Amino acid sequence: MPNRPRPQFRRIAGLACTGAVIFGALAVVVGNQADAQQPAPLPIDQLLGQELQGKAALGRVQSRLAEIADQNKLSTDQLRQILATDRTAWLDRGGKLFYREPVATAAERKSGAAASPRWATQAVATATGPAFELHSKPGSNRVIYLDFDGHTITGTAWNTNGKPSTVNVTPYDTDGNTSNWSTAEQDVVRDVWARVAEDYAPFDVDVTTQQPTADAITRSGASDQQYGTRVLIDPTTWYQSGCGCGGVAYVGVYDNTSNHSYYQPALVFTKGVGTGAKNIAEAASHEAGHNVGLSHDGTASVGYYAGHGAWAPIMGVGYSKAISQWSKGEYTGANNKEDDFAVIGQNGLALRGDDHGNGTSDATALTLGTSVKGVYANDSDVDTFRIDLAAGTFNFAASAAASGADLDIKLQLLNSSGGVIATADPAAGQSNSATPTGLSASLSRQVAAGRYYLRIENTGYGSPLNTGYSTYGSRGAYTVRVTAG
């Protein structure tokens, strides 16, 4: 027979098992009591208590940084760097990131105060007529509305923290006569629109001065694919006097699927940047850039990189530079290497589709003397045009946008076999802070009768480190035309 444990050993073993069960039960009870005693984490709005500037906000939310970064569509490291280094970055009491931009300097205001090209033909009593019917891509499901004619702000993030619950922003005005829109005021509206439209030309978005319906701006949910943002040109002091800033905007809210209208609009304060078109446009593109997810381009020593030569990044400060482009931090000392085009694409704005063929086999036909428009949207694009000519001398021209051009053009004339006959790529620069030079390209050539091709490519200038720019941000609208010489 097998050995059986003695009775006393069975009793000891039973007691041991019973003790283990009791101890385990006690441990569970104690553990549950400990868990029950842990306080629930504070809601973010109670943790912050109020809107806080960068470093102060970082100190308050350090333990919840990953959560807040996710809310702002940023990595934890990105948000930490922004709050620690950018004095214009703020968190509102709900943890949403926004920026308060510095005002333009006296020199920047002076350089940006040049009169806009004459365009309007007569004054108008209300915001109607051509200046308020401008569209860069009518029919697009995305919109950036440049609002010059006043707006009522209520029920938004800008109405919190002691700000009035309702604010009636007055229309843009430069002559003290608010009962009409002078031709000079309309010229500014049109010039601002043209410059901002050029900055956003690579994207499938309609930059407009015509007020859209509320549904065309506000996004009601994930299934709503028609939405945008309002950039309000604000001449009043309701917010600007308190912040002493040139503009304000929330980050990454363009395609929000909830509370979309709460973080609208982005604001540009003429009391902070001046009333000239160049500065208003730079600020408007910059603030809309925040809405579509972009942060500031600076260096270790300055929050906003002011550029070099004739160039500056849009998300830096471009008031004194005639060429401002989207950037990926290619200049010396850049503290922000984010790919602007990629980030914008992740926040609601896709690139436009290709509008012209890339080679001789699918080249777009040209007619002598007729201009054809194009948009260079992708850094890898090549646009090709064909034309049949009699023998003679002809002028071949590819012109960049007339106001605020971003695209630097290299133009090549090809023969019927696709061989390059001539190339035009002038040096870029600026005649003043509002007027770039050398971005368009043209050539004159005597040719025999036959078929010819024009090839348009984007090009850079100098070194992106400290004298110029690469092809990265050299994208935008152009026109191409062939005329008899």
Side-chain angles (χ1 to χ4, degrees):
M1 291 180 65
N3 292 329
R4 295 181 179 176
R6 296 175 185 177
Q8 63 267 34
F9 289 115
R10 289 201 300 269
R11 287 195 299 271
I12 292 169
L15 288 171
C17 291
T18 303
V21 171
I22 293 171
F23 179 80
L26 287 172
V28 171
V29 171
V30 171
N32 288 342
Q33 288 176 341
D35 290 342
Q37 292 169 359
Q38 291 294 323
L42 284 174
I44 295 299
D45 62 343
Q46 293 183 32
L47 182 65
L48 282 161
Q50 59 183 328
E51 58 186 32
L52 290 174
Q53 196 172 27
K55 287 184 178 180
L58 181 59
R60 189 74 63 87
V61 301
Q62 190 71 253
S63 63
R64 309 276 291 280
L65 199 60
E67 176 187 346
I68 293 173
D70 185 64
Q71 176 185 346
N72 286 287
K73 306 179 191 176
L74 297 168
S75 71
T76 303
D77 287 343
Q78 280 179 304
L79 183 58
R80 180 182 292 109
Q81 179 184 357
I82 290 169
L83 296 178
T85 63
D86 194 332
R87 290 180 294 178
T88 67
W90 290 69
L91 290 182
D92 71 10
R93 64 181 299 167
K96 289 293 286 183
L97 178 65
F98 71 98
Y99 285 97
R100 289 178 175 176
E101 320 292 357
V103 299
T105 66
E108 289 168 340
R109 287 178 183 237
K110 183 177 180 181
S111 67
S116 294
R118 296 189 63 180
W119 174 77
T121 58
Q122 61 182 5
V124 294
T126 58
T128 57
F132 303 96
E133 298 172 355
L134 298 166
H135 292 265
S136 66
K137 196 174 188 298
S140 173
N141 281 331
R142 305 289 185 271
V143 67
I144 296 174
Y145 171 40
L146 302 176
D147 186 353
F148 284 87
D149 67 342
H151 180 62
T152 298
I153 303 175
T154 188
T156 77
W158 307 121
N159 302 107
T160 63
N161 284 285
K163 301 294 188 298
S165 59
T166 300
V167 178
N168 294 310
V169 176
T170 59
Y172 172 82
D173 176 67
T174 58
D175 60 7
N177 183 356
T178 58
S179 64
N180 80 335
W181 290 85
S182 68
T183 56
E185 289 167 342
Q186 294 175 71
D187 290 344
V188 169
V189 171
R190 198 257 184 185
D191 197 8
V192 170
W193 167 82
R195 292 173 180 276
V196 177
E198 170 66 359
D199 289 339
Y200 287 89
F203 302 100
D204 183 4
V205 61
D206 182 23
V207 177
T208 182
T209 59
Q210 186 168 35
Q211 181 167 331
T213 63
D215 289 345
I217 292 182
T218 301
R219 192 176 194 193
S220 59
S223 63
D224 184 356
Q225 291 301 307
Q226 187 176 27
Y227 55 86
T229 193
R230 180 191 303 263
V231 180
L232 181 60
I233 314 306
D234 185 351
T236 63
T237 61
W238 70 281
Y239 193 103
Q240 200 275 335
S241 59
C243 70
C245 50
V248 290
Y250 274 89
V251 179
V253 297
Y254 187 87
D255 61 345
N256 268 18
T257 55
S258 62
N259 296 323
H260 186 274
S261 60
Y262 184 73
Y263 299 106
Q264 299 265 336
L267 293 132
V268 173
F269 303 115
T270 61
K271 292 186 181 297
V273 304
T275 57
K278 162 67 173 172
N279 286 8
I280 292 175
E282 291 292 340
S285 288
H286 183 110
E287 301 311 328
H290 284 316
N291 280 179
V292 291
L294 299 179
S295 298
H296 286 148
D297 291 334
T299 68
S301 58
V302 296
Y304 297 75
Y305 186 57
H308 50 249
W311 178 89
I314 292 170
M315 298 311 295
V317 55
Y319 296 139
S320 63
K321 306 298 183 184
I323 303 169
S324 57
Q325 299 173 337
W326 302 113
S327 169
K328 59 178 180 179
E330 297 173 289
Y331 56 87
T332 300
N335 67 350
N336 183 4
K337 300 286 188 176
E338 72 182 357
D339 180 335
D340 283 358
F341 285 102
V343 172
I344 293 172
Q346 293 160 5
N347 283 270
L349 293 185
L351 293 178
R352 287 187 187 228
D354 194 5
D355 53 358
H356 296 291
N358 291 355
T360 56
S361 63
D362 57 355
T364 299
L366 290 176
T367 302
L368 189 66
T370 301
S371 295
V372 173
K373 295 180 180 180
V375 174
Y376 203 101
N378 195 308
D379 195 18
S380 62
D381 192 19
V382 177
D383 286 348
T384 306
F385 300 84
R386 73 173 190 271
I387 188 167
D388 296 320
L389 298 172
T393 300
F394 297 91
N395 301 313
F396 306 89
S399 302
S403 290
D406 293 30
L407 175 63
D408 189 350
I409 299 170
K410 180 170 76 173
L411 174 66
Q412 292 184 315
L413 176 65
L414 283 60
N415 61 23
S416 59
S417 301
V420 177
I421 300 172
T423 299
D425 182 13
Q430 66 181 54
S431 56
N432 56 54
S433 65
T435 311
T437 57
L439 301 188
S440 299
S442 63
L443 50 89
S444 181
R445 189 82 174 186
Q446 185 175 358
V447 299
R451 171 162 291 184
Y452 294 88
Y453 298 93
L454 287 177
R455 183 163 63 202
I456 294 174
E457 296 182 69
N458 67 333
T459 188
Y461 175 71
S463 169
L465 292 174
N466 50 25
T467 61
Y469 47 89
S470 74
T471 59
Y472 172 81
S474 180
R475 316 185 201 189
Y478 66 89
T479 58
V480 60
R481 188 182 188 201
V482 180
T483 57

